[in-house]
Amino acid sequence: MTKEQAGKRIKELSIELDEHNYKYYVLSHPTISDYEFDKLLEELISLEKQFPEFLSPHSPSQRVGGAITKDFATVVHKYPMMSLGNTYSEEDLRDFDQRVRKLLPDDKIEYVCELKFDGVAIGLTYKDGELVRAVTRGDGLQGDDVTANVKTIRSIPLKLKKGDYPAEFEIRGEIILPRKEFDRMNAELAAQLKEDGFSEEEINERLYRNPRNTASGTLKQQDSSIVATRNLDCFLYALYGDNLSFKTHFESLDKAREWGFKVSDKTRLCSNLEEVMHYINEWEHRREKLGFEIDGVVIKVNNYLQQQELGFTSKVPRWAIAYKYKAEAAATTLNDIGYQVGRTGAITPVAHLKPVTLAGTIVKRASLHNADQIEKLDLRIGDTVFVEKGGEIIPKITGVDLSKRLAHASKVKYITHCPECNTELIRIEGEANHYCPNENGCPPQIVGRLIHFTSRKAMNIEGLGGETVDLLFREGLVHNIADIYDLKKEQIMGLERMGDKSASNIIEGINKSKKIPFERVLYAIGIRYAGDTVARKLARHFKNIDALMNANFEQLIEAPEIGEKIAASVLKHFADIEKRKVIERLKHAGLQIEIKQDASNQTLSEKLKGITIVVTGTFKNYERDQLKKLIEQHGGKNGSSVTGKTNYLLAGDDCGPSKLEKAEKMKVKIINEEQFEEMIR
Ligand code: IVH
């Protein structure tokens, strides 16, 4: 193909793909199959690779991301990004209408009603029909430039459809994460955490909280290819420009729709307050059926001249207002308060409720966080309490119906002793939680630490999952992590439902764990505040366990990115004589207690030079990290997600469907560990 032909074909393909993107993501009405779409995209990507001179920043191939933003540049908004006044009742809304009518006594007023999308505000600037910049709201005067990330959102046009758009304008709207995507992300995260040995309580704490926060966090990701995997969406609702010729807001939205923007088809023109109230009530009932979250309705004066006359107060426009729906709430009885003890000894109070239906699910428990929260709510057992689910996964108690309080109900007294081991609880200055200090005698803490130690991300001891560890502890066979290495096959075989084969597997798993590198051993021993990243930094800096154990405070904070809190925690850990004894026994058992200098950075070949591989799932003969290291040692690059730049997806067992689907869609070759071995042989 000549250069000229390639240029022509790239242009054709771009137009065609843009159109299909539009039909799929804006109109929700695709006219070709995913397969056909992928074929066209593949052809485009391959031509752009061969003829990079034709690669445009607005090409549909750019949707997969790949650009990394270390620091988001700050951009001053050309038009300040204001927020809206809030109302919660029909009465408030009538006041708003009265204020408008008083300022425009002779005018006929029309209102536009829109859904109030619960997401992240964004301003998109287009020049000559091309997206040039996307900026977050920030403080309203200046925000962050998140263009690279926004370009991966498929419903946002990179190029506008032919039309009468102004040479330069800004359009604002809301970036949202559809409920389905939010649920999918949480299901994947929960599965991963479960695999890593986290308890249900710990998993709940770590899940994404709600779609809005998650959308906001996603937009701030440094790697745009991660953003591309999240399937964000965007509704636009306001145009800004110096010479816009529209008379009304409603008309401007129609135009924006014609240019290719996703403008909600639920937007409605209303000629009086009754119609507005009707819209509000209608969507309060139907909001559950939308594929995304809304938190109310926005009511805007339609006519631009009227908007201008009404103007702004110091903070908000006088021509628009938000009607906020109340968070979904229900009233139920507080039956009891339970207390959970975590691996670190932290106590979490949990409300036990009379089951009640809330937003389509049955709620039996609500989080209470800590003693202060209970105090603030002034709770009594038997109280009728209000539970709310404001887009959060775990509902919370927001108040008490005092009119229903029973005469004899007495105040909840927070426990003073551990519900598991009866040790007196302590409260550390500056921390909200109570702790059980009985680290070495409190069963959930001991078992929690053991489970952490054997979990996948730590020592990855096969066969030693939560239940087996719990059993070993209850049978008195293990009490601390060093005991694991004294286990005999016969002892394990003596346990309930444990056969010869399973016992052998466990022993084999334990022996295999002696090869786990030092940095993971350090993570596994569970020093407070030393997660996997901190453990890696400590391991690399101190190189072996003795140097770390003997380091003083100054030496600890000298290590890269180690602050005072972590340093204090390391000191405290190794000041404990019992913990030192455990370390000695681990050394004796043959665990890796120093960084293996030789193997870690040694180059083995250049066989994977220029090749990017994404590793996912679990493997028979390797840890995922080992494979990643091998890729580097053979000159290759590791990718974190499948993008246009990925050459291979190295997939093991139990990998989530999303990476596989993506690889198939993008025609990235999927290989298994044997094929990988072949490549580096
Ligand atoms: S108009 C000057 N319309 O709600 C008024 N805002 O609480 C500009 N929002 O900052 C905003 N849906 O992030 C408008 N249909 C909608 C909206 C909407 C959601 C957000 C927006 C705004 C916030 C105000």
Side-chain angles (χ1 to χ4, degrees):
M1 190 181 274
T2 66
K3 193 172 148 185
E4 202 178 316
Q5 285 169 323
K8 194 166 157 250
R9 183 67 184 144
I10 285 176
K11 204 164 174 189
E12 273 169 19
L13 283 165
S14 299
I15 293 173
E16 211 178 328
L17 283 161
D18 274 341
E19 186 60 23
H20 287 306
N21 250 331
Y22 173 72
K23 285 182 175 159
Y24 190 106
Y25 293 101
V26 180
L27 302 182
S28 308
H29 199 281
T31 51
I32 59 169
S33 69
D34 287 2
Y35 177 77
E36 288 165 299
F37 182 91
D38 293 338
K39 277 273 166 230
L40 294 172
L41 183 58
E42 198 187 327
E43 186 185 346
L44 176 66
I45 291 174
S46 138
L47 278 176
E48 285 175 344
K49 261 189 196 148
Q50 281 176 60
F51 300 92
E53 59 270 40
F54 294 122
L55 178 61
S56 135
H58 304 101
S59 162
S61 65
Q62 299 307 295
R63 300 288 197 184
V64 295
I68 305 282
T69 317
K70 280 263 175 288
D71 291 304
F72 296 101
T74 305
V75 179
V76 175
H77 293 297
K78 186 163 176 193
Y79 313 93
M81 242 168 156
M82 291 242 179
S83 73
L84 293 168
N86 290 327
T87 57
Y88 296 89
S89 67
E90 182 170 348
E91 206 186 330
D92 286 351
L93 200 61
R94 290 201 181 276
D95 287 348
F96 165 77
D97 182 51
Q98 286 307 317
R99 284 199 299 274
V100 169
R101 287 181 195 282
K102 217 168 158 184
L103 289 165
L104 302 168
D106 305 319
D107 286 21
K108 176 176 164 13
I109 313 282
E110 279 182 328
Y111 292 112
V112 177
C113 285
E114 297 170 12
L115 301 179
K116 188 167 184 317
F117 306 99
D118 200 7
V120 186
I122 194 82
L124 309 172
T125 302
Y126 284 80
K127 276 193 191 148
D128 299 323
E130 290 180 347
L131 173 67
V132 292
R133 202 184 307 122
V135 183
T136 62
R137 187 177 125 88
D139 62 5
L141 297 176
Q142 50 184 38
D144 288 335
D145 184 332
V146 289
T147 314
N149 286 345
V150 162
K151 277 186 172 178
T152 68
I153 302 175
R154 294 192 168 52
S155 54
I156 293 181
L158 301 180
K159 263 189 188 163
L160 299 183
K161 294 169 152 304
K162 279 267 157 286
D164 46 356
Y165 46 76
E168 182 173 343
F169 68 95
E170 184 176 337
I171 189 163
R172 289 184 182 165
E174 205 85 352
I175 291 180
I176 54 154
L177 184 67
R179 279 202 193 108
K180 220 170 86 195
E181 281 301 312
F182 174 73
D183 292 342
R184 178 188 62 80
M185 284 170 63
N186 260 341
E188 282 179 13
L189 180 61
Q192 180 67 50
L193 292 170
K194 194 165 175 205
E195 203 181 284
D196 289 344
F198 287 94
S199 70
E200 201 178 320
E201 182 200 339
E202 287 171 321
I203 292 176
N204 278 337
E205 269 171 27
R206 285 168 170 78
L207 289 180
Y208 299 107
R209 275 157 49 93
N210 59 45
R212 176 175 24 87
N213 277 352
T214 316
S216 166
T218 301
L219 261 195
K220 297 282 169 63
Q221 290 281 330
Q222 296 190 336
D223 182 351
S224 60
S225 61
I226 294 182
V227 186
T229 65
R230 299 273 172 94
N231 296 320
L232 294 169
D233 202 347
C234 182
F235 284 103
L236 284 315
Y237 49 64
L239 274 175
Y240 293 77
D242 290 341
N243 303 306
L244 296 185
S245 57
F246 310 111
K247 289 201 171 54
T248 67
H249 174 57
F250 201 68
E251 185 194 337
S252 78
L253 293 180
D254 271 342
K255 273 290 176 209
R257 215 179 262 122
E258 279 176 29
W259 301 335
F261 292 105
K262 188 160 181 167
V263 175
S264 169
D265 58 2
K266 311 293 186 275
T267 300
R268 189 181 300 164
L269 191 58
C270 296
S271 47
N272 56 49
L273 207 62
E274 275 49 58
E275 287 178 25
V276 171
M277 273 323 292
H278 185 83
Y279 182 90
I280 290 174
N281 293 331
E282 178 180 335
W283 283 104
E284 178 148 30
H285 293 117
R286 291 174 67 191
R287 61 195 282 211
E288 280 303 309
K289 306 242 157 34
L290 293 165
F292 48 85
E293 311 244 323
I294 60 169
D295 58 344
V297 164
V298 180
I299 301 107
K300 301 175 181 173
V301 168
N302 188 30
N303 185 297
Y304 276 151
L305 280 177
Q306 292 177 341
Q307 282 193 8
Q308 244 173 39
E309 277 188 57
L310 290 164
F312 295 82
T313 71
S314 63
K315 279 188 256 153
V316 296
R318 287 198 193 88
W319 46 263
I321 199 148
Y323 183 100
K324 299 258 270 192
Y325 292 135
K326 292 199 183 60
E328 286 182 77
T332 188
T333 314
L334 174 67
N335 284 338
D336 196 8
I337 292 181
Y339 298 87
Q340 291 172 341
V341 186
R343 161 163 73 90
T344 59
I347 309 288
T348 318
V350 182
H352 295 207
L353 305 166
K354 182 170 166 219
V356 61
T357 310
L358 185 58
T361 51
I362 296 172
V363 173
K364 289 186 224 153
R365 277 157 203 269
S367 59
L368 283 168
H369 306 292
N370 52 50
D372 292 344
Q373 179 75 5
I374 296 178
E375 182 71 24
K376 210 165 101 196
L377 289 164
D378 187 25
L379 290 178
R380 326 257 152 124
I381 303 298
D383 267 349
T384 299
V385 292
F386 300 112
V387 273
E388 267 186 22
K389 221 176 189 179
E392 320 270 306
I393 310 173
I394 303 163
K396 55 179 182 217
I397 296 185
T398 53
V400 178
D401 184 348
L402 290 175
S403 70
K404 298 219 172 99
R405 176 163 285 170
L406 306 170
H408 57 271
S410 58
K411 241 179 124 146
V412 170
K413 279 219 184 69
Y414 203 78
I415 48 167
T416 52
H417 290 73
C418 177
E420 302 280 344
C421 72
N422 210 29
T423 304
E424 192 173 348
L425 301 180
I426 53 164
R427 200 167 186 187
I428 303 165
E429 270 268 324
E431 289 202 23
N433 286 93
H434 284 71
Y435 284 88
C436 166
N438 183 16
E439 277 176 54
N440 299 322
C442 181
Q445 295 190 53
I446 300 170
V447 175
R449 282 196 303 268
L450 287 165
I451 294 176
H452 169 76
F453 183 81
T454 61
S455 70
R456 182 153 239 143
K457 238 167 108 179
M459 302 305 280
N460 191 20
I461 304 181
E462 227 170 285
L464 281 190
E467 273 177 45
T468 313
V469 169
D470 197 46
L471 195 59
L472 287 168
F473 170 74
R474 277 190 284 121
E475 293 294 327
L477 293 174
V478 290
H479 192 82
N480 64 44
I481 54 180
D483 295 339
I484 293 174
Y485 294 91
D486 290 341
L487 280 171
K488 302 273 172 303
K489 189 176 154 191
E490 301 72 51
Q491 293 176 307
I492 302 175
M493 272 174 70
L495 296 175
E496 260 168 60
R497 281 178 288 151
M498 195 61 80
D500 184 274
K501 181 103 180 52
S502 330
S504 298
N505 283 346
I506 292 176
I507 294 292
E508 197 188 325
I510 293 172
N511 285 331
K512 255 174 61 187
S513 77
K514 295 176 186 169
K515 297 240 155 43
I516 294 284
F518 176 48
E519 53 195 58
R520 275 174 59 190
V521 175
L522 203 51
Y523 166 68
I525 63 176
I527 301 170
R528 193 134 189 249
Y529 307 125
D532 51 349
T533 316
V534 170
R536 197 175 324 119
K537 298 215 159 108
L538 288 171
R540 295 209 173 137
H541 184 77
F542 289 97
K543 308 240 171 5
N544 65 61
I545 194 84
D546 288 320
L548 179 66
M549 278 204 289
N550 298 326
N552 60 28
F553 188 76
E554 281 68 38
Q555 289 164 328
L556 281 163
I557 54 175
E558 254 170 39
E561 289 169 67
I562 301 303
E564 295 185 0
K565 187 165 145 186
I566 297 168
S569 168
V570 173
L571 281 183
K572 181 167 176 266
H573 190 95
F574 293 118
D576 182 341
I577 193 83
E578 290 305 320
K579 297 217 167 80
R580 282 185 174 254
K581 278 190 201 154
V582 165
I583 299 287
E584 288 311 317
R585 286 174 60 202
L586 292 179
K587 275 187 195 171
H588 198 71
L591 269 69
Q592 303 296 315
I593 44 139
E594 59 186 14
I595 288 260
K596 282 254 180 313
Q597 291 292 3
D598 52 357
S600 54
N601 296 316
Q602 193 183 324
T603 312
L604 298 174
S605 84
E606 299 244 294
K607 291 208 169 83
L608 302 179
K609 196 165 175 210
I611 290 179
T612 301
I613 302 182
V614 174
V615 186
T616 182
T618 57
F619 298 87
K620 284 198 291 290
N621 301 319
Y622 300 90
E623 297 304 323
R624 216 170 12 222
D625 286 346
Q626 277 179 311
L627 288 169
K628 287 186 178 175
K629 186 143 274 170
L630 276 171
I631 292 171
E632 281 173 14
Q633 287 177 318
H634 287 278
K637 266 202 204 149
N638 282 292
S640 57
S641 62
V642 178
T643 71
K645 291 184 185 133
T646 312
N647 301 92
Y648 296 96
L649 177 68
L650 173 48
D653 295 332
D654 313 321
C655 44
S658 69
K659 283 204 174 102
L660 286 177
E661 275 167 22
K662 185 95 187 285
E664 266 158 32
K665 201 164 166 188
M666 311 223 27
K667 299 286 167 298
V668 170
K669 194 164 178 208
I670 302 171
I671 52 171
N672 59 27
E673 58 188 298
E674 286 80 19
Q675 287 166 308
F676 175 72
E677 281 174 338
E678 197 57 44
M679 283 170 75
I680 57 170
R681 188 163 292 152

